[in-house]
Amino acid sequence: MGTPLFKDAEVERLRLAGAAAAGTLAWVARRLAPGISTEDINQWVREDTARRGGIPSQLGYHGFPATVCTSRNHVVCHGVPDPNERLAPGDIINVDVTTNLNGYHGDTSATFCIGEVSADARHVVDVARRCRDIGISVVRHGAKLGDIGAAIQELAEKEGCSIVREFGGHGIGRSMHGPPHVAHFGKKGTGITLRSGMVITIEPMVNLGRPDIRILEDEWTVVTVDGSLSAQFEHTVLVTREGCEILTPNPDLPLSVGPMPASAEAHP
C-alpha cells in the first residue's frame, strides 16, 4: 500500500484534527501536578476530546484500553493509565494524544517535568525535544526518509543519549497509522523520497541510557531494559514544496508543571 498524498480540503481537515489534538494536549498539560493519577489524565483526554467534537483515536486500537498513552520515567511509550499510578515531584511523563475529527487524525505528544527534576531528567527531555525538531527541519519535497532518522540519531548520540529502534513515526491521515514507517535512526540519502502532500509523524523516543527495551506483561507498556529515563516529543507534519507544515502546533505548551523552583524555566 502506497503513501497517500493529501491536498486542498483534505489538508484543511487534517489541520483541524491536528489543532484538536494539540489543544487537548495543552489543556491536559495545564492540569498536571504532583498527586494526580494517570487515570485522571485519561479521563481529561476523553472529556476534552469530546468537547472539541472528536473521538480518541487510541481507544480500542488493537485492543488498547485507554484514550491516551501516559509514559512515566523509564516507560518509553504505550503506558496504560492507572488510577494507582500517581505523579510525584521529580517525575517526567509523556502524554500522547491522538484525535479523530470527522474521519481524519492528528497525533501529538510531549514529555512534561513534574516539579523539580534531576539534571539527567532535564537533559533527556531537552534532547528528545530537539531531536523531534531537527527531524522536522529536514522535511521537504524531494528529501529522503532516511534524512530524518540520520539527523535525529546524530543529535541524540552527540548528546550521550540513544534512540529506540523498534518504534518510530508513521503515516497518518484517514487512518491513525499507515505507511511509511518513519525510523528515527538511519543513513542520510536512503529510503523513499518525500513528496508534497505526504503526512507523517515524527516522534523520536530518546533514552538516557541504552536503547534496549522490553514490553511488560500487559502487552502494551514499553520500558527501558536498564531502567534509564526515556522522553519523547511528537508532531504531525505535512510535507510541502517549501519544507513542511506542523499540523499540531503548540508554541506555548508548558513543559514544566507543578511546584518548581522560582529560577526554573519552561522550554519554549
Side-chain angles (χ1 to χ4, degrees), residues 7 10 30 42 49 98 105 121 128 139 181 183 199 212 228 234:
K7 60 182 181 179
E10 289 184 311
R30 291 192 291 270
N42 183 48
T49 300
T98 313
H105 299 262
V139 174
H181 173 73
V199 178
D212 310 276
S228 64
E234 175 183 14

Side-chain angles (χ1 to χ4, degrees), residues 115-163:
E116 184 176 4
V117 303
S118 68
D120 280 346
R122 286 195 300 273
H123 179 65
V124 73
V125 170
D126 179 65
V127 173
R129 179 181 56 85
R130 289 193 286 129
C131 280
R132 177 202 61 187
D133 292 348
I134 200 168
I136 291 172
S137 73
V138 303
V139 174
R140 60 174 177 80
H141 179 84
K144 294 290 187 179
L145 194 62
D147 298 348
I148 299 171
I152 291 170
Q153 182 181 2
E154 180 181 5
L155 175 57
E157 293 178 353
K158 177 183 176 182
E159 293 289 351
C161 296
S162 63
I163 294 292

